[in-house]
Amino acid sequence: MKARFLPLLLTTVLLGAGPSMAPTPAAPQAQPERLGRGVVALPASQGFGAFISWRLLASDPANAAFNIYRLGRDGKPFKLNKEPITTKTNWQDEYDKVAGAPFTYTVELIGSKAAPDPSAIAKAWADGYLRLPLQPPPGGTVSSGSETSPYTYTANDASTADLDGDGQYEIVLKWEPTNARDNGSSGITGPVILDAYKLDGTRLWRINLGKNIRAGAHYTQFMVYDLDGDSKAEVACKTADGTVDGQGKTLGDASKDYRSLTVPTDGVPVPGPRDSKYGRILAGPEYFTVFDGRTGAALASTPYLPARGELGGWGGIGGNGGNDSYGNRVDRMLACVAYLDGQRPSVVMCRGYYGRTVLAAWDWRGGQLTSRWVFDSKDAQNPFSGMGNHGLSVNDVDGDGKDEIVYGSMVVDDNGTGLFSTGLRHGDALHVSDLDPSLPGLEAWGVHENEEKVPGHENGPGAALYAAGTGKILVSKLPGEDVGRGMAADIDPRHPGAELWVSNPELCLLTCKGERIGPSPRSVNFGLWWDGDLLRELLNDTRVEKWDYQAGQLNKLLEGKDFGAASCNGTKATPCLSADLLGDWREEVVWRTADNTALLIFSTTIPTTHRLVTLMQDRAYRLGVARENVGYNQPPHPGFFLGEGMKNL
């Protein structure tokens, strides 16, 4: 029997005595994405020629063999390989400088009788990266009558899915106005914009969320996924009166303005005093809306669950009090996609994590939006209150084929009941995968804040690793400290499993057992599989770097600024998106340009002899990409150990 709603003070002790978990294999998608071959070709990193890579799909036979062709200017194919390609999914075309280059390439699965796949043909990216031109929204000015706030737009977080059913990914991009606000800061903002683009720069639609959705990292979490199995993804997010869909239709009453526009009595409008409601949206209806991914048309809307309720009921100082009445914690939103029945995806929209925490699961089936369940921790006495992070993860932690929501320091089961609470409380970063392959199941590595001095938790760990299926604490470090960032990845082949580290300099690099190794990387942000081995590289700001585990230093592999790239989200310094978008199992990184006129998509040109199914067909990884834009962005991780010494899949 699963442990549920254990008393907070007994949680850690009791969960450690539970039965051991069975190994959790990488879960295939019950409702698969229909992906094409995803061929990508780039100028080779050294000398002349081109580097070509393509997807190995879960549907391919175990002995899949490929041919690769270069298309001449006359369109005739020239086969490059003398023998079938059976051990890798990349190729180097080592031609000398030839008139007409860069060439177009096509890859075929030998013996396949499938219909022609448009994504199996690719022209080499002449610049070594793909420039996706954007159409920035026009700026504007918002006014309260006593304050004027001008703004322009910055390209921000992005997501990806097949919006039109052609087997190729499109990009959904969030535009944030330059006067966007953190929840802790008062002030009026411009509206949030969502755009959809094909990789050739064609804009499919634009959604304007309107004046009644405030701009900032914690307000708009957008899910892009095929929710009903028709091979065309939907887009789902929180909306309000005045939202305009991709077809120009207004949702609700466009005349309504629910912004708090009273200037604080001290005469300082932005930023006002900490308890000011100025510029916030704390009244009026809130909706959850599903949009058509092809057209941006609103398909269905329903009241957002949960409603705001008592503003002070979402946690105040220390997560226990009720004195946060100015709208900070009530508007802390998260979201994800999960296979809650093991067969089809659901959207889970969330509110709150410092105190009261609510998760609402929705199904989009046959043109109908229905509620699956609602989890509500209700009050500060509940062991599941105050356990949320600025992000979340979706994983099958108990091996039953159905997904759970790892909500920072606690887990909600697939049926909407609490599975366990660790009592570790709130934190900023979370990484869930098979970090310690010597143990059964998955592990969760997170960092935590202790400066709020929650009674009884003053000396809680600043960083901890726990078993994601039971909540048993495996590693506990930095008692009583506030730790801002943490990372987990296999970066040192001398030690089994992933390495663990945080932003606090006094804690060195750790093994997955918590043993000290030596100095840790200063990069504590994203991971990216980029070069030819199984170790993960590190992605921070506009840099891809390799950890030299012998010298204890980072070596730069790619600097996006050399190409005009810029990161997002201020000091968080995240990409617009990182994911296995194209080519073989290594990951691509998407940055905006500093002038916000384009997205730049980079893919590796480093050969590898490792052959893996595209990571986008590992369920945990794919759902990690879907929730990557949420809160404080975190990188996707597969549901299996991918690193030095990994098992053959």
Side-chain angles (χ1 to χ4, degrees):
M1 178 177 292
K2 298 176 181 178
R4 303 187 191 281
F5 289 97
L6 296 173
L8 183 58
L9 296 178
L10 298 178
T11 299
T12 302
V13 176
L14 292 179
L15 289 174
S20 61
M21 300 295 296
T24 304
Q29 292 189 44
Q31 177 188 297
E33 247 180 341
R34 187 174 67 86
L35 290 179
R37 195 57 64 186
V39 177
V40 62
L42 306 94
S45 56
Q46 295 181 353
F48 301 113
F51 177 81
I52 307 98
S53 72
W54 58 93
R55 293 184 185 118
L56 180 68
L57 300 172
S59 58
D60 290 336
N63 61 348
F66 298 93
N67 288 326
I68 184 168
Y69 299 87
R70 181 204 301 157
L71 303 184
R73 285 185 293 173
D74 58 2
K76 293 182 179 179
F78 173 75
K79 190 168 79 166
L80 299 178
N81 56 299
K82 294 181 179 179
E83 300 293 333
I85 304 169
T86 59
T87 60
K88 58 184 181 179
T89 50
N90 60 85
W91 185 268
Q92 285 190 289
D93 182 12
E94 298 178 349
Y95 61 80
D96 290 330
K97 189 177 290 185
V98 179
F103 291 109
T104 296
Y105 296 87
T106 184
V107 173
E108 70 168 359
L109 173 63
I110 298 174
S112 174
K113 297 180 181 179
D117 171 16
S119 76
I121 302 175
K123 185 174 181 178
W125 297 349
D127 297 324
Y129 58 89
L130 180 65
R131 183 182 181 89
L132 193 164
L134 299 175
Q135 300 176 40
T141 300
V142 287
S143 176
S144 66
S146 56
E147 180 219 350
T148 298
S149 178
Y151 61 90
T152 56
Y153 277 98
T154 300
N156 191 249
D157 297 329
S159 192
T160 190
D162 181 3
L163 301 178
D164 54 13
D166 65 355
Q168 303 182 77
Y169 283 131
E170 280 77 45
I171 300 289
V172 176
L173 174 70
K174 180 174 75 167
W175 291 97
E176 283 226 318
T178 50
N179 58 5
R181 299 284 176 182
D182 182 82
N183 293 50
S185 173
S186 60
I188 53 178
T189 77
V192 176
I193 306 290
L194 297 177
D195 275 357
Y197 292 92
K198 295 184 73 66
L199 294 187
D200 64 4
T202 301
R203 196 184 80 190
L204 299 178
W205 46 258
R206 170 166 288 171
I207 294 170
N208 186 324
L209 294 181
K211 68 170 79 71
N212 291 312
I213 294 291
R214 197 172 191 237
H218 302 292
Y219 295 102
T220 295
Q221 323 297 346
F222 59 102
M223 294 294 102
V224 186
Y225 210 85
D226 178 13
L227 301 174
D228 58 5
D230 66 353
S231 297
K232 302 177 186 66
E234 289 74 35
V235 179
C237 66
K238 182 173 174 284
T239 59
D241 282 346
T243 294
V244 179
D245 75 4
Q247 296 298 297
K249 180 181 178 182
T250 300
L251 280 64
D253 188 343
S255 69
K256 299 296 185 181
D257 187 347
Y258 295 106
R259 296 173 296 172
S260 301
L261 298 179
T262 302
V263 178
T265 56
D266 65 0
V268 182
V270 179
R274 183 168 171 78
D275 62 352
S276 172
K277 297 180 182 179
Y278 177 63
R280 304 177 189 278
I281 301 160
L282 302 175
E286 303 172 287
Y287 306 113
F288 171 58
T289 300
V290 176
F291 298 91
D292 188 314
R294 295 168 297 174
T295 66
L299 299 174
S301 290
T302 190
Y304 188 89
L305 295 179
R308 299 180 187 91
E310 173 59 42
L311 296 184
W314 297 89
I317 296 174
N320 284 333
N323 54 357
D324 175 4
S325 60
Y326 63 97
N328 181 352
R329 287 158 173 80
V330 66
D331 275 349
R332 299 285 180 154
M333 310 295 185
L334 300 175
C336 63
V337 174
Y339 287 73
L340 299 172
D341 62 2
Q343 297 297 315
R344 293 184 291 182
S346 303
V347 177
V348 183
M349 303 299 290
C350 316
R351 183 175 227 142
Y353 40 77
Y354 289 108
R356 181 187 176 195
T357 297
V358 183
L359 289 72
W362 296 94
D363 292 341
W364 174 249
R365 311 275 191 263
Q368 299 294 319
L369 186 60
T370 58
S371 173
R372 173 175 284 269
W373 49 251
V374 177
F375 169 91
D376 191 344
S377 72
K378 296 184 179 179
D379 55 50
Q381 285 67 50
N382 192 301
F384 291 90
S385 289
M387 298 297 154
N389 274 39
H390 288 289
L392 74 178
S393 185
V394 179
N395 305 86
D396 177 11
V397 304
D398 53 13
D400 65 355
K402 302 174 184 179
D403 290 327
E404 283 72 45
I405 315 302
V406 184
Y407 205 79
S409 296
M410 57 94 157
V411 174
V412 175
D413 205 355
D414 54 78
N415 61 5
T417 61
L419 187 58
F420 62 80
S421 173
T422 64
L424 295 172
R425 300 197 65 78
H426 169 72
D428 286 4
L430 175 71
H431 305 275
V432 183
S433 187
D434 189 3
L435 303 176
D436 185 347
S438 72
L439 296 177
L442 308 178
E443 293 78 40
W445 170 248
V447 299
H448 305 278
E449 297 177 5
N450 295 290
E451 86 285 359
E452 293 181 289
K453 304 303 181 187
V454 179
H457 297 273
E458 296 89 343
N459 293 312
L465 180 76
Y466 68 85
T470 66
K472 179 182 179 181
I473 308 301
L474 304 171
V475 176
S476 179
K477 299 291 182 179
L478 301 174
E481 292 199 30
D482 173 20
V483 181
R485 299 187 186 184
M487 181 58 186
D490 186 16
I491 59 173
D492 188 334
R494 299 171 299 181
H495 306 277
E499 281 69 52
L500 314 172
W501 69 104
V502 300
S503 53
N504 294 41
E506 66 266 36
L507 185 65
C508 68
L509 186 66
L510 304 175
T511 70
C512 59
K513 300 293 187 183
E515 301 156 337
R516 297 170 63 91
I517 296 174
S520 61
R522 296 183 65 184
S523 178
V524 195
N525 201 345
F526 269 51
L528 197 75
W529 279 288
W530 185 261
D531 68 6
D533 62 31
L534 295 174
L535 300 177
R536 208 168 193 186
E537 285 63 62
L538 300 180
L539 168 61
N540 183 42
D541 195 14
T542 56
R543 299 181 302 278
V544 177
E545 297 170 300
K546 181 78 171 179
W547 177 246
D548 184 337
Y549 54 88
Q550 294 177 318
Q553 65 184 27
L554 289 166
N555 296 323
K556 191 183 300 182
L557 302 180
L558 173 66
E559 174 53 84
K561 284 187 174 68
D562 293 342
F563 306 92
S567 59
C568 297
N569 299 307
T571 59
K572 300 298 183 290
T574 56
C576 294
L577 181 68
S578 70
D580 181 12
L581 296 174
L582 296 162
D584 62 27
W585 57 274
R586 272 88 58 82
E587 297 171 287
E588 282 66 44
V589 57
V590 183
W591 287 300
R592 66 183 177 95
T593 56
D595 62 4
N596 297 297
T597 61
L599 295 179
L600 305 180
I601 303 177
F602 289 86
S603 187
T604 187
T605 58
I606 302 173
T608 182
T609 58
H610 298 288
R611 183 167 111 153
L612 300 174
V613 169
T614 173
L615 298 184
M616 294 295 259
Q617 290 190 317
D618 175 75
R619 195 161 92 196
Y621 182 91
R622 181 65 185 90
L623 297 177
V625 172
R627 59 92 185 130
E628 189 180 325
N629 69 80
V630 170
Y632 291 173
N633 313 50
Q634 300 285 277
H637 296 281
F640 59 94
F641 174 68
L642 201 172
E644 184 71 21
M646 66 179 289
K647 296 179 180 178
N648 293 326
L649 300 179

